[in-house]
Amino acid sequence: MPEVMTPSQAAWAHFRGSIGVRIGLAILAVLVAGAVYAPFLSSEAALLWNDGSGWTSPVLGELFNRKTYAKPYDLVFNLFAVTLPFTLAIAWWFRGTWSWPRRILLIAGVPLVAALVMVVPIPRDDGGWRSLWRGYPPESRSLSAHLADPGTVRAVFTPIGHQWDQTYAGAVLKEPGTVNAATGRPFLLGTDSRGQDVLARMLFGGRISLTIGFVATGIAMAIGILIGAVSGYFGGWVDLLLQRIVEIMMCFPTFILILIVVSALGRDIFIIILVQGLTGWAGDARLVRGEVLVQSSRDYVLAGRALGLGRVRIMFRHILPNCMTPLLIGAVFGIAGAVLGESGLSFIGLGDPNAPSWGQLLNQGRENIHMSWLIWTPGLAVFALVSALYLVGNGLRAAFDPKAR
Amino acid sequence: MLAYLLRRMLWMVPTFLGILIINFAVLRMQDVSLAETLVGGGEAGERQADGKQMAAQVQGHLVKLRRTGRDLPALLNTRGFIGPEGIVERLRAAERVGTTKDSDAFRAEVELWSGGSLLVEPLAGVLRDPAQARYHGPAATALTYAMMPIVLPETAERQGVAWVEAARTRIQELERLRVGYRNERGTGFATTDPKVADKVARLLVLVDATPGEWDRSTRRWTALVGETGFTDFFAKLLTGTLYSETRKQPVWDLIAERWQISFTYNFIAIAIGWIGAVLIGIRSARRMNTFEDKATTQVLFLTWSLPSFFVGTLFLHLLCTDHPGGRTAWFPNRGILSPDHAWMSTWEWLKDAAWHATLPLIVLCYGSFTSLSRYMRGSLLDQLGSDYARTARAKGVDEDGVVYRHTVPNSMITMITLGSGLLASLFGGSVIVEQIFSIPGLGQLLLDAAIQRDAPLVMGSTIISVGLLLIGILIADILYAVVDPRVRARYA
């Protein structure tokens, strides 16, 4: 490490050195890995299967099957699962030689390119490139099929071995550790009131929480940045008007708004995301406005103006990048808020009925109040995710806010 | 002071209007059209719009639509300007000929049925025109629905027995006069009723019997904005005649039974949360960077990350449930009072209420400690390091005096602003807490209404919640002026 550091280098060093941040990032990494690799950890289909005609990988073949994974965000996560090793390998290969923006571009770009190649043709054509991997009914290469008739098959299965949306006969509200008669595997975290494996649902539920958190916050940030920047930079009556709107949004009980919109438009995960994004921008707008007001009086803005740069260019190329740090901190807390909002909504029974959300499991715990595993598991998962985000956000604030340091 | 308050109250008007408009939009977004409710979307084209078969169903839906004003256009009612030609044009669109899709045709045909009395005149005009004999079947059916008086069970009493009797006889008579017809693919409308001429004539006689009722010469202008969904909604809201769809009671009555509970709980929770946060904040600031301060920070961080629905369920599981091992519950698990509260003495009653309120209040208010007390700590630290605090110390004021007499009042300004923000989040949170502890408050009413998709009840309880919220914000504004002399000076 060089002896002389720029302020931002010092801040990042401070950020990385903090114990809280390390714990937070570790928890986040575990949760994200669990969500991304959920199909490999918990699926009925075999990881590897050899019935005499060579090794195949049914799990891999299932990944982009729209019948198994009906929700679009599941496909995105599966895509990440496939491309993440390559992305990480490339990022490691180029470490030190690439600037941060390029690395981020790469990490986002690999899955995007892969998506264009792989996912786009799928809805149109039932066969397509997947027929290389498939061409057999997936049910025939599952754990229960193997248990019923082992034959001469050699197979490797997923560690948990239960499908998240599979209802198992005679497995309603079983305690953790109960062995499933159909698959011979234990339910490590018990089953819920419909006879589904809690652990499998937890892993796939992490996908929903992460999707909600990132997408809703992304939407809210985009709106907030735009409104805040316009309001702060143009000032005058535009500012006055936008500030009134922000004020109205601030004292709007967003949870109640989400409640009524979801009840009217239907309990779909994307409606929930959209409503959360469309209602959560007020804080971001206020933050950006304040920051823009501070930055606008700096010398570099004056210099830009003297050079004859346009307003929009000064705004988006010069001022906004300088406002990003507080926004980043705000975004981390925004993600935590969105996660809490979604789990709260599914907890009171207004979540997407077709999605295995953590809040929904906790709701089952409330209905079966003696089943402690239905309460502790999802509750601690939400707690872990939110506190990890808090630790990271707090670390960012401590590192970048000189007053806090 | 008065000018300041008026100004603050004026700013609340757009907020409240925003809520009303969102509510109205939500109301209109629910499955509105008669066609969709009749066939449940989808395969509309499969069915024949057979007036005779559907009569009972249509009547039921017209009553439902009337209850919330969904039978009227949202913002502009131009039905008064539709002439006989307009009707014929619509019927042509409803004919299953040429390239018209069956489902579109069905929709166009059924839409005419919910047109209301403004359409009686043009429909009668079509029936009087022998050149349009082809459309007499559907037009006569639409006319019977347009002329049908809609009897809402909840308002029937107010309109009087005679009116209801007259309405019943007319509905029966109209049912007898409904004309059978077919709408076949390729051939279009064809009357199948042998007595069509007779029925049409009798319908027209019925129309002519009460010409004043169908006269639209001036009504078409007043109806333009006077008979729209929006005005209907507002009129019902203001006169208190908004009726719940699932409970058949006025929305305001349902709310009146419950709002005090939510209000009291939230009020107490805010008081505890706010005062507690202020005390924690002062303590942390005075012991800045000691072990106690750091430990408080960590504990508060843990409570901030604990979702209230998890804590509530956990309380219910650990403290409110009889466990098989023999331990009985420490706290009651539902409601605000024991079932036998009517026989209690005042002291026992108070104890019982406190007993029921303990856990819900903890769940409601623990979340507000973290952010509020951090702000309090930060703002007090700023004040303690300022020049006037140093001056006070220099002239010999002891530390307690510096904190409580000089710096804390100045920190209150931020705390009051934050307190009003707390209100908004609490109202959302009370939905969850009331659901967990089965507290019959406004939040539970709202949630039930949302799950059952009872639009009027959702609107009513949202409006009341937001109204209470705005009152809370107004109180915060008043306190703001009390605490901050600058505000008073500016508006003096």
Side-chain angles (χ1 to χ4, degrees), chain B residues 310-321 359-360 362-363 437:
Chain B
F310 175 43
V311 175
T313 317
L314 211 55
F315 277 165
L316 212 58
H317 172 63
L318 295 175
L319 304 177
C320 307
T321 322
L359 293 183
I362 292 176
V363 176
F437 292 101

Side-chain angles (χ1 to χ4, degrees), chain A residues 271-291:
Chain A
I271 291 175
I272 297 171
I273 292 181
L274 206 65
V275 179
Q276 285 211 328
L278 291 180
T279 52
W281 51 266
D284 290 325
R286 186 166 273 195
L287 203 73
V288 175
R289 174 179 174 270
E291 201 65 20

Side-chain angles (χ1 to χ4, degrees), chain B residues 37 39 47 59 103 107 118-119 124 149-150 160 176 182 194 196 233-234 273 318 340 366 380 419 425 456 471:
Chain B
T37 36
V39 294
R47 308 254 315 243
Q59 277 179 28
S103 51
R107 254 180 215 119
L118 275 172
L119 288 188
I150 293 175
R176 280 197 294 277
R182 310 278 306 158
V196 54
F233 166 62
F234 264 99
L318 295 175
D340 55 346
Y366 80 85
L380 190 58
S425 60
I471 291 172

Side-chain angles (χ1 to χ4, degrees), chain A residues 264-317:
Chain A
L265 290 185
R267 291 149 54 179
D268 186 85
I269 198 89
F270 289 98
I271 291 175
I272 297 171
I273 292 181
L274 206 65
V275 179
Q276 285 211 328
L278 291 180
T279 52
W281 51 266
D284 290 325
R286 186 166 273 195
L287 203 73
V288 175
R289 174 179 174 270
E291 201 65 20
V292 167
L293 280 182
V294 172
Q295 299 286 339
S296 306
S297 59
R298 294 277 166 86
D299 287 344
Y300 70 87
V301 176
L302 197 67
R305 213 173 280 159
L307 286 171
L309 301 183
R311 280 177 153 197
V312 177
R313 190 187 163 94
I314 293 180
M315 184 72 243
F316 287 98
R317 288 293 302 275

Side-chain angles (χ1 to χ4, degrees), chain A residues 104-120:
Chain A
I104 291 170
L105 204 70
L106 173 85
I107 288 166
V110 170
L112 215 67
V113 172
L116 284 178
V117 177
M118 294 170 160
V119 174
V120 173

Side-chain angles (χ1 to χ4, degrees), chain A residues 132-191:
Chain A
L132 291 174
W133 291 359
R134 283 186 59 219
Y136 51 84
E139 297 80 21
S140 68
R141 303 190 171 195
S142 72
L143 188 52
S144 33
H146 185 253
L147 200 74
D149 176 26
T152 55
V153 173
R154 284 179 294 162
V156 179
F157 292 101
T158 54
I160 296 163
H162 291 127
Q163 196 79 25
W164 68 270
D165 54 353
Q166 179 76 43
T167 310
Y168 293 102
V172 173
L173 290 173
K174 292 289 180 223
E175 277 184 29
T178 314
V179 174
N180 184 1
T183 57
R185 296 292 183 87
F187 293 111
L188 291 175
L189 289 177
T191 58

Side-chain angles (χ1 to χ4, degrees), chain A residues 240 244 247-248 250-257 259-261 263-267 333 336-337 339-341 343-345 347-350 359 362-363 365-366 368-372 375-380 382-384 386-388 390-391 394 403, chain B residues 8 11 14-15 18-19 22-23 26-27 29-30 297-298 300-310 313-314 316-318 321-324 370 374 382 424 427-429 431-432 435-436 443 446-447 449-451 453 458 462 465-466 469-470 473:
Chain A
L240 202 71
R244 290 290 87 73
E247 220 164 77
I248 291 173
M250 286 286 259
C251 70
F252 217 93
T254 31
F255 192 76
I256 290 180
L257 183 67
L259 207 94
I260 60 176
V261 173
S263 80
L265 290 185
R267 291 149 54 179
F333 289 106
V339 169
L340 282 177
S343 355
L345 204 62
F347 174 74
I348 57 173
L350 277 175
L362 197 60
N363 187 25
R366 187 181 59 84
N368 307 286
I369 200 70
H370 285 287
M371 316 295 169
S372 57
I375 299 166
W376 284 103
T377 318
L380 285 180
V382 178
F383 172 61
V386 172
S387 54
Y390 179 92
L391 284 172
N394 221 20
K403 256 205 289 187
Chain B
R8 296 306 306 173
W11 281 126
T15 311
I19 300 276
I22 289 174
N23 263 316
V26 165
L27 176 78
M29 274 190 284
Q30 298 200 330
T297 310
Q298 296 307 318
L300 285 176
F301 139 67
L302 282 179
T303 58
W304 184 84
S305 313
L306 275 173
S308 64
F309 48 86
F310 175 43
T313 317
L314 211 55
L316 212 58
H317 172 63
L318 295 175
T321 322
D322 296 332
H323 283 267
T370 311
R374 292 303 88 185
D382 277 353
F427 268 102
V431 176
I432 288 177
Q435 169 78 356
I436 296 174
L446 174 61
L447 180 60
I451 288 174
R453 306 188 69 170
V458 169
T462 315
S465 294
V466 175
L469 180 70
L470 291 180
I473 292 173

